[in-house]
Amino acid sequence: MSDNAKANVVSARIDATLEAMSPFLRFFQDSAWSGRDPKHQDNCDFVFGNPHEMPLPEFVSSLQRNLPPQDQDWYAYKVNEPESRRTIAESLRERRGLPFEPQDVFVTNGAFAALSVSICTLIDPGDEIIFISPPWFFYESIIVNYGGNPVRVKIDDSTLDLDLEAIAAAITKRTRAIIVNSPNNPTGKIFPPETLQALANLLTEASERNGSPIYLLSDEAYSRIIFDDLEYPSPTSYYPNSLLIYTYGKTLLTPGQRIGYIALPPTMPSRAKLRNALLAAQLVTGFAFPNALLQHSLAELETLSIDIPKLQRKRDRLTDELGAMGYEVKPPEGTFYLLVRSPLHDDLAFCEALAAQKVYVLPGTVFEMPGFFRISLTANDEMVERSLPGFAAALKRTPSTIATPAEA
Ligand code: PMP
């Protein structure tokens, strides 16, 4: 094979997509965590938001109840089924106080698909999408995969809030959308109403200047995982040109059973134009609909949730325990992640030191926050307990001359 033929084995587009996800893939394929024995009983695996307890019994019984076919179409092709759309629109009406319409709901296999479908619908090659850093791992790759230019805007480090001036400065004639994730993975920040109103104002002005709307993709994967009885203001309540993106995978802690949605708020002007476009994108991105069984169960699944007060107690326990050891912890307002400052500047090295204790966490380098690491609170209580000596031992072995939390 000539060099040229070799170079063309995969498309330049997927090559660029791969490059954008390389920090994640490096960790996933080549770290102490990836090399661990996943069945080892001493492991304390806090890396991803996976369940470490049995699923909700009501979740299982709902799927069991809906498994036997009730008619010949039970397992036929399922798209944006009217019953699913009604269930979701009703839930949004109740939660958000806005008259969401069933035909503005697009049922997807999780937020992954909802993001892909939305981005596929909105951009032409060369268009820009702003994403906020630290981001969720795959925003940049999804944008690149659809030929877009990802434009990174950092948060305000001191407040973890959006940096509105930086967002305004990043907008150009080619800006088609901005992705906002609140509550935020990995910081746990809920962006406050003042910020969302100011963001809406600046997006409205910029859209008028551009002569076409800049859409807000509101990634609300964790909108039902809120602590301390805080209010959750949705960006979609402030800015009409929003696409609300949700997944049940977090609220139910069943990310392997893929169901979520895109919803257009009733305040969005001329949204009829988007309806067929989103359907087309669902079809061409690989039939991005949840499977039949999940759609049959949706009305029941919609009412379920993992135990949020229990999650909050785990947040508080780890915050207190790690804080007492000398770690600097940033307790989240929502989500199931805890952000901790790495005692070493080199978060990858510190995470390897934790891994030597069989405590596995996600290094900040993987999510554009070098100098930090992320703990998933989906760990069970027993694992939390068992991990504490490991956290203490890794900290004790950290050479204090390299960095202290205050210097890092
Ligand atoms: N957005 C954010 C912020 C996430 O954290 C995740 C999952 N980790 C997703 C989207 C994707 O969710 P799902 O896997 O349920 O599609």
Side-chain angles (χ1 to χ4, degrees):
M1 216 191 307
S2 73
D3 277 356
N4 209 11
K6 268 190 221 150
N8 289 338
V9 166
V10 298
S11 68
R13 179 185 45 71
I14 203 71
D15 235 2
T17 303
L18 195 56
E19 178 58 31
M21 58 174 73
S22 59
F24 178 86
L25 286 185
R26 257 198 304 278
F27 178 79
F28 200 78
Q29 296 169 343
D30 186 22
S31 64
W33 171 81
S34 66
R36 81 203 181 290
D37 167 6
K39 297 275 178 236
H40 199 293
Q41 57 179 20
D42 294 344
N43 286 348
C44 298
D45 186 351
F46 296 98
V47 170
F48 291 117
N50 261 322
H52 292 276
E53 286 170 90
M54 290 302 272
L56 291 171
E58 299 88 345
F59 177 85
V60 179
S61 58
S62 175
L63 296 194
Q64 281 169 335
R65 239 189 330 275
N66 288 297
L67 186 68
Q70 293 172 23
D71 58 49
Q72 64 187 14
D73 293 330
W74 202 250
Y75 290 114
Y77 279 115
K78 298 293 171 196
V79 289
N80 297 308
E81 296 302 299
E83 190 51 44
S84 302
R85 290 180 133 179
R86 253 197 314 278
T87 297
I88 292 165
E90 265 166 33
S91 155
L92 286 170
R93 279 170 185 241
E94 203 173 296
R95 287 169 187 277
R96 301 289 161 83
L98 278 176
F100 278 84
E101 292 186 32
Q103 76 250 41
D104 290 324
V105 174
F106 302 83
V107 208
T108 60
N109 31 7
F112 253 103
L115 284 158
S116 275
V117 165
S118 304
I119 291 169
C120 171
T121 302
L122 295 178
I123 62 171
D124 285 312
D127 283 344
E128 293 167 8
I129 296 192
I130 296 174
F131 71 99
I132 308 298
S133 175
W136 177 56
F137 317 111
F138 300 110
Y139 291 145
E140 193 181 353
S141 356
I142 298 173
I143 298 165
V144 168
N145 185 52
Y146 289 106
N149 286 336
V151 177
R152 171 182 287 99
V153 174
K154 290 194 108 24
I155 52 167
D156 179 329
D157 278 340
S158 56
T159 59
L160 305 180
D161 202 353
L162 297 176
D163 182 341
L164 295 165
E165 274 181 32
I167 292 172
I171 294 176
T172 73
K173 277 263 167 231
R174 296 297 306 256
T175 306
R176 288 291 283 157
I178 176 169
I179 308 176
V180 173
N181 167 223
S182 178
N184 187 266
N185 170 12
T187 66
K189 176 84 176 173
I190 298 174
F191 299 128
E194 317 78 79
T195 300
L196 299 177
Q197 188 57 62
L199 175 68
N201 295 347
L202 87 82
L203 292 177
T204 305
E205 277 169 34
S207 300
E208 277 164 17
R209 245 187 355 257
N210 278 2
S212 64
I214 296 174
Y215 289 97
L216 191 162
L217 305 186
S218 181
D219 180 347
E220 307 190 3
Y222 300 94
S223 56
R224 298 192 202 169
I225 303 182
I226 305 288
F227 300 131
D228 306 318
D229 293 322
L230 292 172
E231 288 289 317
Y232 170 65
S234 166
T236 65
S237 305
Y238 296 82
Y239 187 64
N241 277 322
S242 296
L243 283 73
L244 191 165
I245 287 166
Y246 181 70
T247 169
Y248 291 89
K250 311 296 175 192
T251 312
L252 306 177
L253 201 43
T254 51
Q257 288 290 333
R258 318 259 333 129
I259 183 161
Y261 58 80
I262 304 165
L264 309 179
T267 46
M268 180 190 278
S270 47
R271 60 192 186 285
K273 283 190 192 159
L274 272 183
R275 289 186 192 134
N276 270 343
L278 285 166
L279 173 63
Q282 283 177 291
L283 291 166
V284 300
T285 54
F287 209 75
F289 307 96
N291 68 38
L293 181 56
L294 284 167
Q295 295 215 49
H296 293 310
S297 309
L298 182 59
E300 291 161 332
L301 303 188
E302 172 59 44
T303 65
L304 304 178
S305 169
I306 52 168
D307 186 341
I308 308 296
K310 184 173 160 195
L311 203 58
Q312 183 172 318
R313 286 195 294 278
K314 246 184 292 183
R315 174 199 68 170
D316 294 342
R317 172 100 210 277
L318 270 166
T319 301
D320 291 349
E321 294 282 358
L322 296 184
M325 289 175 199
Y327 285 95
E328 185 188 332
V329 184
K330 295 189 180 295
E333 297 172 318
T335 76
F336 41 52
Y337 304 110
L338 194 63
L339 196 61
V340 184
R341 195 185 286 278
S342 168
L344 286 177
H345 280 299
D346 184 347
D347 53 283
L348 290 167
F350 188 72
C351 291
E352 297 286 310
L354 281 172
Q357 307 293 324
K358 295 218 166 342
V359 174
Y360 301 98
V361 298
L362 189 69
T365 297
V366 178
F367 52 89
E368 302 186 9
M369 273 193 111
F372 287 83
F373 61 85
R374 191 193 76 174
I375 293 176
S376 175
L377 297 171
T378 58
N380 59 41
D381 287 334
E382 187 265 329
M383 192 190 292
V384 169
E385 191 63 45
R386 200 155 29 85
S387 70
L388 297 175
F391 276 112
L395 186 61
K396 214 162 150 202
R397 282 181 202 169
T398 301
S400 55
T401 47
I402 295 181
T404 64
E407 289 168 330

